[in-house]
Amino acid sequence: MLLCQRILPHLLTLPSRPTSQLLLCPSRFPPRRPFLPRCAALSQLAPPETVDHSDAEEPEDHSDAVEPLGDVQVKLPLDRLFLPPGASVTPGDEEGVTARVLKGSNIVLGTYARGDAQVVNADFVKSSVRPDDCPKDGRPEFALVGRSNVGKSSLLNSLVRRKRLALTSKKPGKTQCINHFIINDSWYLVDLPGYGYASAPQEARKDWDEFTRNYFLSRDNLVSVFLLIDASIPAKKIDLDYASWLGQNKVPMTLVFTKCDKRKKKKNGGKRPEENVESFQSLIREYFEAAPPWIMTSSVTNQGRDEILLHMSQLRNYWRKH
């Protein structure tokens, strides 16, 4: 039985609360057309820095300051939902739309989500130090990027159900490269260097930042960048700057909130992941005319794994057709 048929009943949210008769226009998602930012508000933003000094004194391992959380059901009004390519809302159909929202996200399941979402096989292909060195076969690809220690490799391994795919395929130094993994012999997951790593030499940080930005701007087969944000801690300026830079440069973006299974203990001032998720979105909302898609995830519980794959499926299938 196809993946969509098997898991959709468990992924869709129930309608939240009565909504106004709001007519939303369908989202468009050609290969290089993102969610349009308010350019005037973004025009003064510089490319994201590679060093996050706000983290300088913060320990990298938060395992001694967290407590587990259950799977969270997120309910949103219509104007904060992401309509996938090819989808639209007509008056009177608002409840039907909210019933198709993927759990723990703002993403509506559309007609392009099909049974090809499941990962059957995944293999490491190559590492590249320049965008020009990346595979040239034109297959669609999704890039994973995030601040150092955000859980990027863990998420990649969770998506493909391979415990050490992202690790065993890398020799020392490969984290400084653009790493391509072929999925089902038909599309790519791309692992990019983490940013905000203060211990790296300044010249190395500059090089990583430059070739990562060049990759974003030059890859015509890049369907979407998946920007990973740590939901167990408050929003970081470097992450906000990165999201804003992607929007300013019209790079398609999906926000992936990681570590949603835990939070800092209350005695340390910790908030629940969904509170940090809402805070991050409120901080970037003024820069975007339409809500970017986002998903809450956990590599420990695999929360959000199927939702991400279905989201990738509908974006990928639309990209191939158009």
Side-chain angles (χ1 to χ4, degrees):
M1 184 176 295
L2 297 179
L3 177 67
C4 289
Q5 295 173 323
R6 187 171 66 250
I7 66 176
L8 289 187
H10 304 288
L11 296 181
L12 303 180
T13 62
L14 294 174
S16 52
R17 58 181 181 271
T19 54
S20 61
Q21 297 297 313
L22 177 65
L23 178 63
L24 297 180
C25 296
S27 298
R28 297 189 299 170
F29 205 96
R32 301 304 299 164
R33 181 75 171 179
F35 324 104
L36 296 178
R38 291 194 176 105
C39 295
L42 290 173
S43 60
Q44 303 302 318
L45 288 174
E49 298 286 342
T50 55
V51 181
D52 183 9
H53 295 291
S54 64
D55 284 344
E57 298 180 0
E58 193 172 294
E60 295 180 355
D61 183 9
H62 302 284
S63 59
D64 60 344
V66 298
E67 53 187 25
L69 292 174
D71 197 8
V72 176
Q73 186 80 5
V74 179
K75 295 182 179 180
L76 297 168
L78 269 177
D79 60 349
R80 291 174 59 187
L81 297 179
F82 170 74
L83 287 175
S88 62
V89 178
T90 56
D93 188 39
E94 289 82 1
E95 289 191 359
V97 172
T98 56
R100 299 199 305 273
V101 177
L102 296 175
K103 186 167 63 175
S105 81
N106 73 332
I107 299 169
V108 177
L109 193 69
T111 58
Y112 285 93
R114 299 168 186 167
D116 62 349
Q118 186 175 17
V119 174
V120 178
N121 54 67
D123 295 291
F124 172 73
V125 176
K126 66 176 299 187
S127 293
S128 308
V129 295
R130 300 180 308 167
D132 290 344
D133 298 330
C134 293
K136 297 179 173 61
D137 53 22
R139 289 186 174 100
E141 58 191 43
F142 299 89
L144 306 181
V145 69
R147 195 162 49 88
S148 297
N149 300 318
V150 74
K152 182 160 52 68
S153 294
S154 296
L155 177 66
L156 194 155
N157 293 333
S158 173
L159 291 175
V160 301
R161 296 190 186 277
R162 295 262 299 273
K163 289 185 178 181
R164 297 182 63 81
L165 177 69
L167 299 176
T168 56
S169 299
K170 298 179 184 178
K171 298 177 182 178
K174 289 292 183 70
T175 53
Q176 303 174 19
C177 302
I178 302 170
N179 301 302
H180 275 75
F181 300 85
I182 187 71
I183 309 298
N184 298 344
D185 297 321
S186 63
W187 56 280
Y188 291 110
L189 278 175
V190 184
D191 186 9
L192 297 174
Y195 57 83
Y197 185 51
S199 297
Q202 182 175 0
E203 190 63 30
R205 295 196 303 265
K206 181 179 178 180
D207 290 343
W208 301 345
D209 193 41
E210 181 178 357
F211 79 68
T212 299
R213 292 202 307 271
N214 288 340
Y215 164 83
F216 291 148
L217 299 176
S218 65
R219 292 292 282 179
D220 291 335
N221 57 326
L222 176 62
V223 179
S224 181
V225 173
F226 280 58
L227 177 61
L228 276 59
I229 308 295
D230 187 344
S232 70
I233 59 177
K236 297 292 183 182
K237 182 180 183 298
I238 192 171
D239 292 328
L240 297 168
D241 288 345
Y242 217 99
S244 298
W245 185 88
L246 289 171
Q248 180 186 21
N249 286 276
K250 300 183 179 181
V251 179
M253 175 187 70
T254 297
L255 296 172
V256 177
F257 293 97
T258 64
K259 305 182 183 180
C260 291
D261 58 293
K262 57 188 180 180
R263 70 171 178 188
K264 284 188 175 182
K265 292 181 179 179
K266 291 182 179 179
K267 66 179 181 180
N268 295 328
K271 293 183 178 180
R272 297 180 66 86
E274 60 269 27
E275 293 178 296
N276 290 326
V277 168
E278 172 58 30
S279 175
F280 188 92
Q281 292 178 78
S282 66
L283 290 170
I284 69 168
R285 195 170 294 141
E286 62 180 289
Y287 300 125
F288 292 86
E289 293 181 355
W294 56 264
I295 304 175
M296 297 177 68
T297 71
S298 168
S299 297
V300 175
T301 66
N302 285 325
Q303 174 188 348
R305 176 189 180 275
D306 292 328
E307 287 83 355
I308 287 180
L309 292 176
L310 281 169
H311 178 52
M312 287 181 172
S313 172
Q314 60 186 7
L315 296 183
R316 186 171 65 247
N317 289 325
Y318 181 86
W319 182 90
R320 282 174 169 153
K321 187 172 182 179
H322 295 82

Short mmCIF file of all heavy atoms in Angstrom, two decimals, residues 124 127-129 144-146 148 152-153 166-179 181 191-195 197 200 204 207-209 211-212:
data_model
loop_
_atom_site.label_atom_id
_atom_site.label_comp_id
_atom_site.label_asym_id
_atom_site.label_seq_id
_atom_site.Cartn_x
_atom_site.Cartn_y
_atom_site.Cartn_z
N PHE A 124 25.48 7.77 -0.48
CA PHE A 124 26.35 8.92 -0.62
C PHE A 124 26.90 8.95 -2.05
O PHE A 124 27.30 7.92 -2.60
CB PHE A 124 27.50 8.84 0.39
CG PHE A 124 28.55 9.89 0.19
CD1 PHE A 124 28.31 11.20 0.52
CD2 PHE A 124 29.80 9.54 -0.31
CE1 PHE A 124 29.29 12.17 0.35
CE2 PHE A 124 30.79 10.49 -0.48
CZ PHE A 124 30.53 11.82 -0.15
N SER A 127 31.30 14.64 -2.49
CA SER A 127 31.47 15.90 -1.78
C SER A 127 32.08 16.90 -2.75
O SER A 127 32.97 16.56 -3.53
CB SER A 127 32.38 15.74 -0.56
OG SER A 127 31.78 14.93 0.42
N SER A 128 31.61 18.13 -2.68
CA SER A 128 32.08 19.18 -3.59
C SER A 128 32.48 20.40 -2.80
O SER A 128 31.87 20.73 -1.78
CB SER A 128 30.98 19.56 -4.59
OG SER A 128 30.46 18.42 -5.24
N VAL A 129 33.52 21.08 -3.28
CA VAL A 129 33.96 22.31 -2.63
C VAL A 129 33.51 23.55 -3.40
O VAL A 129 33.69 24.67 -2.94
CB VAL A 129 35.50 22.33 -2.47
CG1 VAL A 129 35.94 21.23 -1.53
CG2 VAL A 129 36.19 22.21 -3.82
N LEU A 144 19.89 20.78 3.19
CA LEU A 144 19.74 20.93 4.64
C LEU A 144 20.86 21.82 5.15
O LEU A 144 22.04 21.55 4.91
CB LEU A 144 19.80 19.57 5.35
CG LEU A 144 18.84 18.47 4.87
CD1 LEU A 144 19.04 17.21 5.70
CD2 LEU A 144 17.40 18.94 4.95
N VAL A 145 20.49 22.87 5.87
CA VAL A 145 21.49 23.77 6.42
C VAL A 145 21.00 24.26 7.78
O VAL A 145 19.79 24.34 8.03
CB VAL A 145 21.76 24.97 5.47
CG1 VAL A 145 20.55 25.89 5.40
CG2 VAL A 145 23.00 25.74 5.88
N GLY A 146 21.93 24.56 8.67
CA GLY A 146 21.55 25.05 9.99
C GLY A 146 22.77 25.37 10.82
O GLY A 146 23.92 25.06 10.45
N SER A 148 25.55 25.14 13.69
CA SER A 148 26.27 23.98 14.19
C SER A 148 25.57 23.41 15.42
O SER A 148 25.07 24.15 16.27
CB SER A 148 27.71 24.38 14.56
OG SER A 148 28.41 24.82 13.42
N LYS A 152 21.52 18.41 12.36
CA LYS A 152 21.34 18.23 10.91
C LYS A 152 21.62 16.79 10.48
O LYS A 152 20.83 16.18 9.75
CB LYS A 152 22.24 19.21 10.16
CG LYS A 152 22.14 19.18 8.66
CD LYS A 152 22.67 20.48 8.06
CE LYS A 152 24.06 20.80 8.57
NZ LYS A 152 25.08 19.85 8.09
N SER A 153 22.74 16.23 10.90
CA SER A 153 23.06 14.86 10.52
C SER A 153 22.05 13.87 11.09
O SER A 153 21.68 12.90 10.43
CB SER A 153 24.48 14.50 11.00
OG SER A 153 25.46 15.26 10.34
N ALA A 166 24.90 9.86 7.25
CA ALA A 166 25.56 11.16 7.13
C ALA A 166 26.94 11.16 7.75
O ALA A 166 27.75 12.03 7.45
CB ALA A 166 24.70 12.24 7.79
N LEU A 167 27.23 10.18 8.61
CA LEU A 167 28.53 10.15 9.28
C LEU A 167 29.51 9.23 8.57
O LEU A 167 30.64 9.61 8.31
CB LEU A 167 28.36 9.71 10.74
CG LEU A 167 27.48 10.61 11.61
CD1 LEU A 167 27.32 10.01 12.99
CD2 LEU A 167 28.08 12.00 11.72
N THR A 168 29.08 8.02 8.23
CA THR A 168 30.00 7.05 7.64
C THR A 168 30.40 7.45 6.23
O THR A 168 31.40 6.95 5.71
CB THR A 168 29.35 5.66 7.59
OG1 THR A 168 28.12 5.74 6.87
CG2 THR A 168 29.08 5.15 8.99
N SER A 169 29.65 8.35 5.60
CA SER A 169 29.99 8.77 4.24
C SER A 169 30.99 9.91 4.23
O SER A 169 31.41 10.35 3.18
CB SER A 169 28.73 9.20 3.49
OG SER A 169 27.82 8.15 3.40
N LYS A 170 31.35 10.41 5.40
CA LYS A 170 32.23 11.58 5.47
C LYS A 170 33.57 11.21 6.09
O LYS A 170 33.64 10.66 7.19
CB LYS A 170 31.58 12.68 6.33
CG LYS A 170 30.28 13.21 5.78
CD LYS A 170 29.72 14.26 6.71
CE LYS A 170 28.38 14.76 6.26
NZ LYS A 170 27.82 15.74 7.19
N LYS A 171 34.63 11.54 5.39
CA LYS A 171 35.96 11.45 5.95
C LYS A 171 36.24 12.76 6.66
O LYS A 171 35.51 13.73 6.50
CB LYS A 171 36.97 11.21 4.82
CG LYS A 171 36.72 9.90 4.08
CD LYS A 171 37.70 9.75 2.93
CE LYS A 171 37.43 8.47 2.16
NZ LYS A 171 38.34 8.32 0.99
N PRO A 172 37.33 12.81 7.46
CA PRO A 172 37.64 14.08 8.14
C PRO A 172 37.72 15.24 7.15
O PRO A 172 38.36 15.15 6.10
CB PRO A 172 39.00 13.79 8.77
CG PRO A 172 38.99 12.32 9.00
CD PRO A 172 38.25 11.74 7.83
N GLY A 173 37.03 16.32 7.49
CA GLY A 173 37.04 17.50 6.63
C GLY A 173 35.87 17.60 5.69
O GLY A 173 35.64 18.64 5.09
N LYS A 174 35.11 16.53 5.53
CA LYS A 174 34.00 16.56 4.58
C LYS A 174 32.86 17.47 5.04
O LYS A 174 32.03 17.86 4.24
CB LYS A 174 33.46 15.14 4.37
CG LYS A 174 34.39 14.23 3.59
CD LYS A 174 34.51 14.69 2.15
CE LYS A 174 35.38 13.74 1.34
NZ LYS A 174 34.74 12.45 1.12
N THR A 175 32.83 17.81 6.33
CA THR A 175 31.79 18.72 6.81
C THR A 175 31.98 20.12 6.26
O THR A 175 31.13 20.98 6.43
CB THR A 175 31.80 18.78 8.35
OG1 THR A 175 33.12 19.10 8.80
CG2 THR A 175 31.36 17.46 8.93
N GLN A 176 33.10 20.37 5.61
CA GLN A 176 33.35 21.66 4.99
C GLN A 176 32.89 21.68 3.54
O GLN A 176 33.13 22.65 2.83
CB GLN A 176 34.85 21.99 5.06
CG GLN A 176 35.41 21.98 6.46
CD GLN A 176 36.92 22.16 6.47
OE1 GLN A 176 37.49 22.62 5.51
NE2 GLN A 176 37.55 21.78 7.56
N CYS A 177 32.25 20.61 3.12
CA CYS A 177 31.89 20.45 1.71
C CYS A 177 30.37 20.39 1.51
O CYS A 177 29.60 20.32 2.45
CB CYS A 177 32.52 19.17 1.15
SG CYS A 177 34.31 19.10 1.30
N ILE A 178 29.99 20.42 0.24
CA ILE A 178 28.60 20.21 -0.16
C ILE A 178 28.46 18.71 -0.44
O ILE A 178 29.05 18.19 -1.38
CB ILE A 178 28.26 21.01 -1.43
CG1 ILE A 178 28.51 22.50 -1.20
CG2 ILE A 178 26.81 20.77 -1.84
CD1 ILE A 178 28.43 23.34 -2.48
N ASN A 179 27.71 18.01 0.40
CA ASN A 179 27.61 16.56 0.33
C ASN A 179 26.28 16.13 -0.28
O ASN A 179 25.22 16.48 0.23
CB ASN A 179 27.77 15.95 1.72
CG ASN A 179 29.09 16.32 2.36
OD1 ASN A 179 30.15 16.04 1.82
ND2 ASN A 179 29.03 16.98 3.51
N PHE A 181 23.59 13.17 -1.43
CA PHE A 181 23.10 11.81 -1.20
C PHE A 181 21.96 11.55 -2.18
O PHE A 181 21.00 12.32 -2.24
CB PHE A 181 22.60 11.64 0.24
CG PHE A 181 23.65 11.88 1.28
CD1 PHE A 181 23.91 13.17 1.74
CD2 PHE A 181 24.39 10.83 1.81
CE1 PHE A 181 24.87 13.41 2.71
CE2 PHE A 181 25.36 11.06 2.78
CZ PHE A 181 25.60 12.36 3.22
N ASP A 191 23.66 17.85 2.12
CA ASP A 191 24.10 18.23 3.47
C ASP A 191 25.13 19.33 3.34
O ASP A 191 26.21 19.13 2.78
CB ASP A 191 24.70 16.99 4.16
CG ASP A 191 25.04 17.25 5.61
OD1 ASP A 191 24.65 18.31 6.14
OD2 ASP A 191 25.70 16.39 6.23
N LEU A 192 24.80 20.51 3.87
CA LEU A 192 25.68 21.68 3.77
C LEU A 192 26.38 21.94 5.10
O LEU A 192 25.90 21.53 6.15
CB LEU A 192 24.88 22.92 3.37
CG LEU A 192 24.21 22.87 2.00
CD1 LEU A 192 23.33 24.09 1.80
CD2 LEU A 192 25.25 22.77 0.89
N PRO A 193 27.53 22.61 5.07
CA PRO A 193 28.25 22.91 6.32
C PRO A 193 27.39 23.72 7.28
O PRO A 193 26.63 24.59 6.86
CB PRO A 193 29.46 23.71 5.85
CG PRO A 193 29.64 23.35 4.42
CD PRO A 193 28.25 23.11 3.89
N GLY A 194 27.53 23.44 8.57
CA GLY A 194 26.83 24.23 9.57
C GLY A 194 27.45 25.62 9.68
O GLY A 194 28.63 25.81 9.43
N TYR A 195 26.64 26.58 10.06
CA TYR A 195 27.15 27.94 10.25
C TYR A 195 27.17 28.28 11.73
O TYR A 195 26.58 27.57 12.56
CB TYR A 195 26.32 28.95 9.46
CG TYR A 195 24.84 28.96 9.78
CD1 TYR A 195 24.33 29.68 10.87
CD2 TYR A 195 23.94 28.27 8.98
CE1 TYR A 195 22.98 29.70 11.15
CE2 TYR A 195 22.57 28.28 9.25
CZ TYR A 195 22.11 28.99 10.34
OH TYR A 195 20.77 29.00 10.62
N TYR A 197 29.85 28.35 13.68
CA TYR A 197 30.82 27.56 14.44
C TYR A 197 31.98 28.46 14.80
O TYR A 197 32.91 28.66 14.01
CB TYR A 197 31.28 26.37 13.61
CG TYR A 197 32.20 25.41 14.35
CD1 TYR A 197 31.85 24.91 15.60
CD2 TYR A 197 33.39 25.01 13.77
CE1 TYR A 197 32.68 24.04 16.27
CE2 TYR A 197 34.23 24.12 14.44
CZ TYR A 197 33.87 23.65 15.68
OH TYR A 197 34.69 22.77 16.36
N ALA A 200 35.90 27.58 14.40
CA ALA A 200 36.54 27.41 13.10
C ALA A 200 37.37 28.64 12.76
O ALA A 200 37.04 29.76 13.16
CB ALA A 200 35.48 27.19 12.03
N ALA A 204 38.34 29.98 7.10
CA ALA A 204 37.51 28.82 6.75
C ALA A 204 36.04 29.18 6.80
O ALA A 204 35.26 28.79 5.93
CB ALA A 204 37.80 27.66 7.69
N ASP A 207 35.13 31.07 3.68
CA ASP A 207 35.05 30.21 2.51
C ASP A 207 33.76 29.40 2.51
O ASP A 207 33.08 29.29 1.48
CB ASP A 207 36.26 29.27 2.44
CG ASP A 207 37.55 30.01 2.13
OD1 ASP A 207 37.47 31.15 1.65
OD2 ASP A 207 38.63 29.44 2.38
N TRP A 208 33.40 28.80 3.67
CA TRP A 208 32.18 28.00 3.76
C TRP A 208 30.97 28.86 3.44
O TRP A 208 30.07 28.47 2.69
CB TRP A 208 32.03 27.40 5.14
CG TRP A 208 33.15 26.50 5.56
CD1 TRP A 208 34.11 25.95 4.77
CD2 TRP A 208 33.43 26.07 6.89
NE1 TRP A 208 34.98 25.20 5.52
CE2 TRP A 208 34.59 25.25 6.82
CE3 TRP A 208 32.83 26.30 8.13
CZ2 TRP A 208 35.15 24.66 7.95
CZ3 TRP A 208 33.39 25.70 9.25
CH2 TRP A 208 34.53 24.89 9.16
N ASP A 209 30.94 30.06 4.02
CA ASP A 209 29.81 30.95 3.83
C ASP A 209 29.67 31.34 2.36
O ASP A 209 28.57 31.36 1.81
CB ASP A 209 29.99 32.19 4.70
CG ASP A 209 28.73 33.02 4.83
OD1 ASP A 209 27.65 32.42 4.97
OD2 ASP A 209 28.83 34.26 4.77
N PHE A 211 30.86 29.76 -0.47
CA PHE A 211 30.44 28.74 -1.44
C PHE A 211 29.04 28.21 -1.13
O PHE A 211 28.34 27.75 -2.04
CB PHE A 211 31.47 27.61 -1.59
CG PHE A 211 31.51 26.55 -0.53
CD1 PHE A 211 30.46 25.65 -0.36
CD2 PHE A 211 32.62 26.40 0.26
CE1 PHE A 211 30.51 24.65 0.58
CE2 PHE A 211 32.68 25.40 1.22
CZ PHE A 211 31.64 24.53 1.39
N THR A 212 28.59 28.31 0.13
CA THR A 212 27.21 27.93 0.43
C THR A 212 26.24 28.91 -0.21
O THR A 212 25.24 28.51 -0.83
CB THR A 212 26.98 27.88 1.95
OG1 THR A 212 27.85 26.91 2.53
CG2 THR A 212 25.54 27.49 2.27
#
